[in-house]
Amino acid sequence: MTKKIGLLMVLVLVLSSLLVGCGTGKEAAADNNSKVASGAEVESYTLEGIKEKGKIILGTSADYPPFETHAIIDGKDQIVGFDIEIAKYIAEELGVELEIVDMEFDKLLGGLETGMLDMVIAGMNPTPEREKEANFTDIYFETTHTVLIHKDSASEITTVEDLKGKHIGVQMGTTQEEVAKTIENAEILSLSTNPDIVMNLKTKKIHCAIMEKAVAQSFAKANDDLMVVEGVTLDSGAEGVAIAVKKGNDELTEKLNEIIADLKAQGLLEKWYVEANELYN
Ligand code: ARG
């Protein structure tokens, strides 16, 4: 008899624990539903997702002074520049940390597409082609393209006409590459970074490079043997640079537009642009 009671008690215990188990299961399921309903399972690259993860991931190609470049500051290799100041301000406004991912320029939009990056600030022109792939904010800076040469070619290359049939260095996947393609008989060397182009120019493997004016000026300032061809500007049909986010990420785009408008109103963009130009020489 006592044995039977004992067995019964064990059974009761086992059953009740099973029931408790079931209960938690149900609760967990309910919890999951409420998560979905309250929007907790948001994509990490949306405005809400960024706030939830506590950081915004910036993709850039840090080979483009004064927009973004590596610099040794306090003995440490850091990514600095005009675009980086903008990114820091955005992170601050959103109340999150800034994480910078440095990659090749032509891989940036893919990084948005896969959700690896939250935004791209890389002196990027919003071309109609790119607008099919990503959302772009309003223009935060107007730019033009110009030509960088070795000083030894100063008399040889003075006009756009002189570029015909020349070996031209450009960064891969850029609007400069598109501009170069329009030049008659040009031999185009597409490289993954701007310092590569500069190296090829210094060693005279190419005749010239097409770059954004501010960038060409930065490289000319830092390299005594290089110079910008005065008065030559090339139209890519997409002047001005903007921030890119994943296609359809509209709430974040709007928020970034508000921040850009605010930066323009405060005159901070001009200030950072001047500071970035002073940084690189
Ligand atoms: N403005 C050009 C473009 O949008 C080149 C930008 C290159 N940017 C860079 N960080 N390397 O195609």
PDB file of all heavy atoms in Angstrom, residues 60-64 67-68 83 105 108 121-127 130 143 145 171 173-176 192-194 212 238 240-241, ligand 1:
ATOM      1  N   THR A  60      32.514  52.518 -45.830  1.00  0.00           N
ATOM      2  CA  THR A  60      33.194  53.555 -46.577  1.00  0.00           C
ATOM      3  C   THR A  60      34.425  52.963 -47.247  1.00  0.00           C
ATOM      4  O   THR A  60      34.783  51.806 -46.995  1.00  0.00           O
ATOM      5  CB  THR A  60      33.549  54.752 -45.657  1.00  0.00           C
ATOM      6  OG1 THR A  60      33.874  55.885 -46.476  1.00  0.00           O
ATOM      7  CG2 THR A  60      34.695  54.438 -44.714  1.00  0.00           C
ATOM      8  N   SER A  61      35.043  53.765 -48.112  1.00  0.00           N
ATOM      9  CA  SER A  61      36.265  53.316 -48.769  1.00  0.00           C
ATOM     10  C   SER A  61      37.298  54.387 -48.416  1.00  0.00           C
ATOM     11  O   SER A  61      37.348  55.434 -49.051  1.00  0.00           O
ATOM     12  CB  SER A  61      36.011  53.238 -50.274  1.00  0.00           C
ATOM     13  OG  SER A  61      37.180  52.905 -50.954  1.00  0.00           O
ATOM     14  N   ALA A  62      38.060  54.121 -47.380  1.00  0.00           N
ATOM     15  CA  ALA A  62      38.909  55.163 -46.758  1.00  0.00           C
ATOM     16  C   ALA A  62      40.203  55.422 -47.526  1.00  0.00           C
ATOM     17  O   ALA A  62      41.313  55.298 -46.998  1.00  0.00           O
ATOM     18  CB  ALA A  62      39.182  54.807 -45.311  1.00  0.00           C
ATOM     19  N   ASP A  63      40.026  55.788 -48.802  1.00  0.00           N
ATOM     20  CA  ASP A  63      41.178  56.058 -49.674  1.00  0.00           C
ATOM     21  C   ASP A  63      40.944  57.369 -50.398  1.00  0.00           C
ATOM     22  O   ASP A  63      41.455  57.582 -51.489  1.00  0.00           O
ATOM     23  CB  ASP A  63      41.324  54.927 -50.693  1.00  0.00           C
ATOM     24  CG  ASP A  63      40.138  54.861 -51.656  1.00  0.00           C
ATOM     25  OD1 ASP A  63      39.073  55.415 -51.336  1.00  0.00           O
ATOM     26  OD2 ASP A  63      40.285  54.268 -52.734  1.00  0.00           O
ATOM     27  N   TYR A  64      40.124  58.242 -49.822  1.00  0.00           N
ATOM     28  CA  TYR A  64      39.552  59.345 -50.565  1.00  0.00           C
ATOM     29  C   TYR A  64      39.583  60.659 -49.788  1.00  0.00           C
ATOM     30  O   TYR A  64      38.535  61.207 -49.437  1.00  0.00           O
ATOM     31  CB  TYR A  64      38.101  58.939 -50.867  1.00  0.00           C
ATOM     32  CG  TYR A  64      37.537  59.448 -52.152  1.00  0.00           C
ATOM     33  CD1 TYR A  64      38.147  59.169 -53.354  1.00  0.00           C
ATOM     34  CD2 TYR A  64      36.358  60.194 -52.174  1.00  0.00           C
ATOM     35  CE1 TYR A  64      37.602  59.624 -54.542  1.00  0.00           C
ATOM     36  CE2 TYR A  64      35.804  60.643 -53.354  1.00  0.00           C
ATOM     37  CZ  TYR A  64      36.435  60.354 -54.544  1.00  0.00           C
ATOM     38  OH  TYR A  64      35.894  60.787 -55.713  1.00  0.00           O
ATOM     39  N   PHE A  67      37.420  63.286 -48.036  1.00  0.00           N
ATOM     40  CA  PHE A  67      36.165  62.656 -47.600  1.00  0.00           C
ATOM     41  C   PHE A  67      36.390  61.593 -46.528  1.00  0.00           C
ATOM     42  O   PHE A  67      35.738  61.588 -45.492  1.00  0.00           O
ATOM     43  CB  PHE A  67      35.440  62.060 -48.814  1.00  0.00           C
ATOM     44  CG  PHE A  67      34.922  63.097 -49.763  1.00  0.00           C
ATOM     45  CD1 PHE A  67      35.668  63.494 -50.863  1.00  0.00           C
ATOM     46  CD2 PHE A  67      33.694  63.704 -49.546  1.00  0.00           C
ATOM     47  CE1 PHE A  67      35.194  64.468 -51.736  1.00  0.00           C
ATOM     48  CE2 PHE A  67      33.212  64.678 -50.406  1.00  0.00           C
ATOM     49  CZ  PHE A  67      33.974  65.067 -51.512  1.00  0.00           C
ATOM     50  N   GLU A  68      37.329  60.673 -46.809  1.00  0.00           N
ATOM     51  CA  GLU A  68      37.673  59.643 -45.812  1.00  0.00           C
ATOM     52  C   GLU A  68      39.052  59.112 -46.153  1.00  0.00           C
ATOM     53  O   GLU A  68      39.338  58.835 -47.308  1.00  0.00           O
ATOM     54  CB  GLU A  68      36.673  58.465 -45.790  1.00  0.00           C
ATOM     55  CG  GLU A  68      36.293  57.921 -47.159  1.00  0.00           C
ATOM     56  CD  GLU A  68      35.042  58.597 -47.666  1.00  0.00           C
ATOM     57  OE1 GLU A  68      34.245  59.017 -46.821  1.00  0.00           O
ATOM     58  OE2 GLU A  68      34.879  58.699 -48.875  1.00  0.00           O
ATOM     59  N   ASP A  83      33.396  62.955 -44.426  1.00  0.00           N
ATOM     60  CA  ASP A  83      32.292  61.991 -44.309  1.00  0.00           C
ATOM     61  C   ASP A  83      32.234  61.365 -42.914  1.00  0.00           C
ATOM     62  O   ASP A  83      31.153  61.039 -42.413  1.00  0.00           O
ATOM     63  CB  ASP A  83      32.469  60.860 -45.335  1.00  0.00           C
ATOM     64  CG  ASP A  83      32.130  61.304 -46.756  1.00  0.00           C
ATOM     65  OD1 ASP A  83      31.494  62.361 -46.917  1.00  0.00           O
ATOM     66  OD2 ASP A  83      32.514  60.577 -47.696  1.00  0.00           O
ATOM     67  N   PHE A 105      35.499  50.410 -52.784  1.00  0.00           N
ATOM     68  CA  PHE A 105      34.354  51.237 -53.158  1.00  0.00           C
ATOM     69  C   PHE A 105      33.266  50.454 -53.884  1.00  0.00           C
ATOM     70  O   PHE A 105      32.083  50.598 -53.577  1.00  0.00           O
ATOM     71  CB  PHE A 105      34.826  52.429 -54.004  1.00  0.00           C
ATOM     72  CG  PHE A 105      33.711  53.360 -54.351  1.00  0.00           C
ATOM     73  CD1 PHE A 105      33.246  54.287 -53.424  1.00  0.00           C
ATOM     74  CD2 PHE A 105      33.086  53.298 -55.588  1.00  0.00           C
ATOM     75  CE1 PHE A 105      32.192  55.138 -53.735  1.00  0.00           C
ATOM     76  CE2 PHE A 105      32.031  54.148 -55.901  1.00  0.00           C
ATOM     77  CZ  PHE A 105      31.590  55.067 -54.975  1.00  0.00           C
ATOM     78  N   LEU A 108      30.564  48.487 -51.792  1.00  0.00           N
ATOM     79  CA  LEU A 108      29.759  49.149 -50.767  1.00  0.00           C
ATOM     80  C   LEU A 108      28.244  48.926 -50.908  1.00  0.00           C
ATOM     81  O   LEU A 108      27.582  48.599 -49.922  1.00  0.00           O
ATOM     82  CB  LEU A 108      30.073  50.655 -50.744  1.00  0.00           C
ATOM     83  CG  LEU A 108      31.463  51.003 -50.202  1.00  0.00           C
ATOM     84  CD1 LEU A 108      31.812  52.461 -50.490  1.00  0.00           C
ATOM     85  CD2 LEU A 108      31.549  50.739 -48.700  1.00  0.00           C
ATOM     86  N   ILE A 121      28.674  56.201 -46.558  1.00  0.00           N
ATOM     87  CA  ILE A 121      29.064  57.592 -46.808  1.00  0.00           C
ATOM     88  C   ILE A 121      30.473  57.478 -47.370  1.00  0.00           C
ATOM     89  O   ILE A 121      31.408  57.100 -46.665  1.00  0.00           O
ATOM     90  CB  ILE A 121      29.048  58.474 -45.531  1.00  0.00           C
ATOM     91  CG1 ILE A 121      27.790  58.224 -44.683  1.00  0.00           C
ATOM     92  CG2 ILE A 121      29.140  59.949 -45.919  1.00  0.00           C
ATOM     93  CD1 ILE A 121      27.651  59.119 -43.463  1.00  0.00           C
ATOM     94  N   ALA A 122      30.608  57.761 -48.656  1.00  0.00           N
ATOM     95  CA  ALA A 122      31.887  57.516 -49.325  1.00  0.00           C
ATOM     96  C   ALA A 122      32.074  58.447 -50.512  1.00  0.00           C
ATOM     97  O   ALA A 122      32.575  58.022 -51.552  1.00  0.00           O
ATOM     98  CB  ALA A 122      31.956  56.054 -49.771  1.00  0.00           C
ATOM     99  N   GLY A 123      31.626  59.688 -50.373  1.00  0.00           N
ATOM    100  CA  GLY A 123      31.724  60.621 -51.490  1.00  0.00           C
ATOM    101  C   GLY A 123      31.027  60.049 -52.712  1.00  0.00           C
ATOM    102  O   GLY A 123      31.523  60.150 -53.831  1.00  0.00           O
ATOM    103  N   MET A 124      29.878  59.436 -52.490  1.00  0.00           N
ATOM    104  CA  MET A 124      29.211  58.689 -53.566  1.00  0.00           C
ATOM    105  C   MET A 124      28.168  59.529 -54.298  1.00  0.00           C
ATOM    106  O   MET A 124      27.313  60.125 -53.667  1.00  0.00           O
ATOM    107  CB  MET A 124      28.567  57.420 -52.990  1.00  0.00           C
ATOM    108  CG  MET A 124      28.035  56.487 -54.064  1.00  0.00           C
ATOM    109  SD  MET A 124      27.257  55.022 -53.378  1.00  0.00           S
ATOM    110  CE  MET A 124      28.658  53.925 -53.187  1.00  0.00           C
ATOM    111  N   ASN A 125      28.269  59.552 -55.604  1.00  0.00           N
ATOM    112  CA  ASN A 125      27.283  60.260 -56.431  1.00  0.00           C
ATOM    113  C   ASN A 125      26.057  59.362 -56.625  1.00  0.00           C
ATOM    114  O   ASN A 125      26.212  58.211 -57.024  1.00  0.00           O
ATOM    115  CB  ASN A 125      27.853  60.582 -57.826  1.00  0.00           C
ATOM    116  CG  ASN A 125      29.182  61.305 -57.774  1.00  0.00           C
ATOM    117  OD1 ASN A 125      30.188  60.825 -58.281  1.00  0.00           O
ATOM    118  ND2 ASN A 125      29.193  62.469 -57.163  1.00  0.00           N
ATOM    119  N   PRO A 126      24.867  59.890 -56.359  1.00  0.00           N
ATOM    120  CA  PRO A 126      23.661  59.076 -56.600  1.00  0.00           C
ATOM    121  C   PRO A 126      23.291  59.063 -58.082  1.00  0.00           C
ATOM    122  O   PRO A 126      22.571  59.921 -58.547  1.00  0.00           O
ATOM    123  CB  PRO A 126      22.589  59.790 -55.767  1.00  0.00           C
ATOM    124  CG  PRO A 126      23.082  61.168 -55.573  1.00  0.00           C
ATOM    125  CD  PRO A 126      24.557  61.204 -55.810  1.00  0.00           C
ATOM    126  N   THR A 127      23.809  58.098 -58.802  1.00  0.00           N
ATOM    127  CA  THR A 127      23.502  58.006 -60.237  1.00  0.00           C
ATOM    128  C   THR A 127      22.177  57.252 -60.415  1.00  0.00           C
ATOM    129  O   THR A 127      21.778  56.500 -59.524  1.00  0.00           O
ATOM    130  CB  THR A 127      24.604  57.220 -60.975  1.00  0.00           C
ATOM    131  OG1 THR A 127      24.633  55.892 -60.434  1.00  0.00           O
ATOM    132  CG2 THR A 127      25.967  57.854 -60.811  1.00  0.00           C
ATOM    133  N   ARG A 130      22.617  53.582 -59.672  1.00  0.00           N
ATOM    134  CA  ARG A 130      22.740  53.263 -58.240  1.00  0.00           C
ATOM    135  C   ARG A 130      21.412  53.435 -57.509  1.00  0.00           C
ATOM    136  O   ARG A 130      21.141  52.725 -56.545  1.00  0.00           O
ATOM    137  CB  ARG A 130      23.806  54.153 -57.600  1.00  0.00           C
ATOM    138  CG  ARG A 130      25.209  53.773 -58.017  1.00  0.00           C
ATOM    139  CD  ARG A 130      26.215  54.734 -57.430  1.00  0.00           C
ATOM    140  NE  ARG A 130      27.559  54.424 -57.901  1.00  0.00           N
ATOM    141  CZ  ARG A 130      28.556  55.289 -57.904  1.00  0.00           C
ATOM    142  NH1 ARG A 130      28.368  56.527 -57.446  1.00  0.00           N
ATOM    143  NH2 ARG A 130      29.751  54.929 -58.322  1.00  0.00           N
ATOM    144  N   THR A 143      30.062  68.462 -55.989  1.00  0.00           N
ATOM    145  CA  THR A 143      31.425  68.170 -56.446  1.00  0.00           C
ATOM    146  C   THR A 143      31.546  68.307 -57.964  1.00  0.00           C
ATOM    147  O   THR A 143      30.545  68.337 -58.668  1.00  0.00           O
ATOM    148  CB  THR A 143      31.831  66.720 -56.102  1.00  0.00           C
ATOM    149  OG1 THR A 143      30.900  65.846 -56.722  1.00  0.00           O
ATOM    150  CG2 THR A 143      31.877  66.471 -54.622  1.00  0.00           C
ATOM    151  N   HIS A 145      34.423  66.892 -61.253  1.00  0.00           N
ATOM    152  CA  HIS A 145      35.575  66.033 -61.529  1.00  0.00           C
ATOM    153  C   HIS A 145      36.680  66.800 -62.221  1.00  0.00           C
ATOM    154  O   HIS A 145      36.425  67.698 -63.016  1.00  0.00           O
ATOM    155  CB  HIS A 145      35.141  64.852 -62.399  1.00  0.00           C
ATOM    156  CG  HIS A 145      34.260  63.906 -61.658  1.00  0.00           C
ATOM    157  ND1 HIS A 145      32.902  63.863 -61.836  1.00  0.00           N
ATOM    158  CD2 HIS A 145      34.553  63.007 -60.709  1.00  0.00           C
ATOM    159  CE1 HIS A 145      32.394  62.964 -61.027  1.00  0.00           C
ATOM    160  NE2 HIS A 145      33.372  62.417 -60.333  1.00  0.00           N
ATOM    161  N   GLN A 171      39.242  54.942 -60.182  1.00  0.00           N
ATOM    162  CA  GLN A 171      38.877  53.914 -59.203  1.00  0.00           C
ATOM    163  C   GLN A 171      37.732  53.064 -59.768  1.00  0.00           C
ATOM    164  O   GLN A 171      36.780  53.588 -60.371  1.00  0.00           O
ATOM    165  CB  GLN A 171      38.435  54.571 -57.880  1.00  0.00           C
ATOM    166  CG  GLN A 171      38.186  53.544 -56.787  1.00  0.00           C
ATOM    167  CD  GLN A 171      37.934  54.176 -55.431  1.00  0.00           C
ATOM    168  OE1 GLN A 171      37.454  55.298 -55.317  1.00  0.00           O
ATOM    169  NE2 GLN A 171      38.258  53.429 -54.384  1.00  0.00           N
ATOM    170  N   GLY A 173      34.522  51.020 -60.454  1.00  0.00           N
ATOM    171  CA  GLY A 173      33.116  51.142 -60.066  1.00  0.00           C
ATOM    172  C   GLY A 173      32.669  52.556 -59.737  1.00  0.00           C
ATOM    173  O   GLY A 173      31.604  52.756 -59.171  1.00  0.00           O
ATOM    174  N   THR A 174      33.485  53.539 -60.117  1.00  0.00           N
ATOM    175  CA  THR A 174      33.128  54.929 -59.799  1.00  0.00           C
ATOM    176  C   THR A 174      32.565  55.661 -61.012  1.00  0.00           C
ATOM    177  O   THR A 174      32.678  55.188 -62.147  1.00  0.00           O
ATOM    178  CB  THR A 174      34.364  55.719 -59.306  1.00  0.00           C
ATOM    179  OG1 THR A 174      35.333  55.723 -60.363  1.00  0.00           O
ATOM    180  CG2 THR A 174      34.955  55.117 -58.058  1.00  0.00           C
ATOM    181  N   THR A 175      32.029  56.849 -60.731  1.00  0.00           N
ATOM    182  CA  THR A 175      31.543  57.692 -61.822  1.00  0.00           C
ATOM    183  C   THR A 175      32.719  58.184 -62.663  1.00  0.00           C
ATOM    184  O   THR A 175      32.562  58.459 -63.849  1.00  0.00           O
ATOM    185  CB  THR A 175      30.744  58.895 -61.274  1.00  0.00           C
ATOM    186  OG1 THR A 175      31.477  59.491 -60.207  1.00  0.00           O
ATOM    187  CG2 THR A 175      29.390  58.466 -60.764  1.00  0.00           C
ATOM    188  N   GLN A 176      33.894  58.261 -62.058  1.00  0.00           N
ATOM    189  CA  GLN A 176      35.090  58.664 -62.820  1.00  0.00           C
ATOM    190  C   GLN A 176      35.405  57.628 -63.903  1.00  0.00           C
ATOM    191  O   GLN A 176      35.873  57.975 -64.986  1.00  0.00           O
ATOM    192  CB  GLN A 176      36.312  58.809 -61.892  1.00  0.00           C
ATOM    193  CG  GLN A 176      36.258  60.025 -60.990  1.00  0.00           C
ATOM    194  CD  GLN A 176      35.763  59.701 -59.601  1.00  0.00           C
ATOM    195  OE1 GLN A 176      36.108  58.672 -59.049  1.00  0.00           O
ATOM    196  NE2 GLN A 176      34.978  60.572 -59.024  1.00  0.00           N
ATOM    197  N   SER A 192      41.485  49.423 -57.580  1.00  0.00           N
ATOM    198  CA  SER A 192      40.523  49.365 -56.477  1.00  0.00           C
ATOM    199  C   SER A 192      40.657  50.508 -55.472  1.00  0.00           C
ATOM    200  O   SER A 192      39.690  50.836 -54.806  1.00  0.00           O
ATOM    201  CB  SER A 192      40.559  48.012 -55.779  1.00  0.00           C
ATOM    202  OG  SER A 192      41.864  47.650 -55.499  1.00  0.00           O
ATOM    203  N   THR A 193      41.839  51.133 -55.385  1.00  0.00           N
ATOM    204  CA  THR A 193      41.932  52.263 -54.443  1.00  0.00           C
ATOM    205  C   THR A 193      42.630  53.462 -55.084  1.00  0.00           C
ATOM    206  O   THR A 193      43.416  53.313 -56.023  1.00  0.00           O
ATOM    207  CB  THR A 193      42.712  51.895 -53.156  1.00  0.00           C
ATOM    208  OG1 THR A 193      44.104  51.822 -53.483  1.00  0.00           O
ATOM    209  CG2 THR A 193      42.251  50.596 -52.539  1.00  0.00           C
ATOM    210  N   ASN A 194      42.359  54.619 -54.529  1.00  0.00           N
ATOM    211  CA  ASN A 194      42.971  55.850 -55.058  1.00  0.00           C
ATOM    212  C   ASN A 194      44.481  55.920 -54.826  1.00  0.00           C
ATOM    213  O   ASN A 194      45.199  56.393 -55.704  1.00  0.00           O
ATOM    214  CB  ASN A 194      42.247  57.076 -54.514  1.00  0.00           C
ATOM    215  CG  ASN A 194      40.943  57.306 -55.261  1.00  0.00           C
ATOM    216  OD1 ASN A 194      40.937  57.821 -56.361  1.00  0.00           O
ATOM    217  ND2 ASN A 194      39.850  56.866 -54.675  1.00  0.00           N
ATOM    218  N   GLU A 212      37.577  63.395 -58.146  1.00  0.00           N
ATOM    219  CA  GLU A 212      36.799  64.534 -57.678  1.00  0.00           C
ATOM    220  C   GLU A 212      37.799  65.645 -57.349  1.00  0.00           C
ATOM    221  O   GLU A 212      38.902  65.371 -56.864  1.00  0.00           O
ATOM    222  CB  GLU A 212      36.024  64.124 -56.412  1.00  0.00           C
ATOM    223  CG  GLU A 212      34.568  64.390 -56.532  1.00  0.00           C
ATOM    224  CD  GLU A 212      33.730  63.143 -56.249  1.00  0.00           C
ATOM    225  OE1 GLU A 212      34.222  62.205 -55.619  1.00  0.00           O
ATOM    226  OE2 GLU A 212      32.574  63.130 -56.674  1.00  0.00           O
ATOM    227  N   ALA A 238      26.293  63.468 -62.809  1.00  0.00           N
ATOM    228  CA  ALA A 238      25.783  63.210 -61.454  1.00  0.00           C
ATOM    229  C   ALA A 238      26.720  63.875 -60.458  1.00  0.00           C
ATOM    230  O   ALA A 238      27.489  63.214 -59.785  1.00  0.00           O
ATOM    231  CB  ALA A 238      25.694  61.714 -61.189  1.00  0.00           C
ATOM    232  N   GLY A 240      27.601  66.030 -57.070  1.00  0.00           N
ATOM    233  CA  GLY A 240      27.026  66.035 -55.719  1.00  0.00           C
ATOM    234  C   GLY A 240      27.065  64.653 -55.120  1.00  0.00           C
ATOM    235  O   GLY A 240      26.970  63.644 -55.827  1.00  0.00           O
ATOM    236  N   VAL A 241      27.284  64.588 -53.811  1.00  0.00           N
ATOM    237  CA  VAL A 241      27.374  63.298 -53.133  1.00  0.00           C
ATOM    238  C   VAL A 241      26.275  63.160 -52.078  1.00  0.00           C
ATOM    239  O   VAL A 241      25.815  64.144 -51.513  1.00  0.00           O
ATOM    240  CB  VAL A 241      28.781  63.093 -52.503  1.00  0.00           C
ATOM    241  CG1 VAL A 241      29.822  62.885 -53.582  1.00  0.00           C
ATOM    242  CG2 VAL A 241      29.185  64.247 -51.598  1.00  0.00           C
TER     243      VAL A 241
HETATM  244  N1  ARG B   1      32.208  60.080 -56.496  1.00  0.00           N
HETATM  245  C1  ARG B   1      32.636  58.906 -57.143  1.00  0.00           C
HETATM  246  C2  ARG B   1      31.484  57.934 -57.260  1.00  0.00           C
HETATM  247  O1  ARG B   1      30.483  58.101 -56.613  1.00  0.00           O
HETATM  248  C3  ARG B   1      33.808  58.231 -56.470  1.00  0.00           C
HETATM  249  C4  ARG B   1      33.690  58.041 -55.020  1.00  0.00           C
HETATM  250  C5  ARG B   1      34.842  57.229 -54.460  1.00  0.00           C
HETATM  251  N2  ARG B   1      34.781  57.192 -53.049  1.00  0.00           N
HETATM  252  C6  ARG B   1      35.712  56.670 -52.251  1.00  0.00           C
HETATM  253  N3  ARG B   1      35.526  56.753 -50.977  1.00  0.00           N
HETATM  254  N4  ARG B   1      36.762  56.062 -52.743  1.00  0.00           N
HETATM  255  O2  ARG B   1      31.550  56.986 -57.984  1.00  0.00           O
END
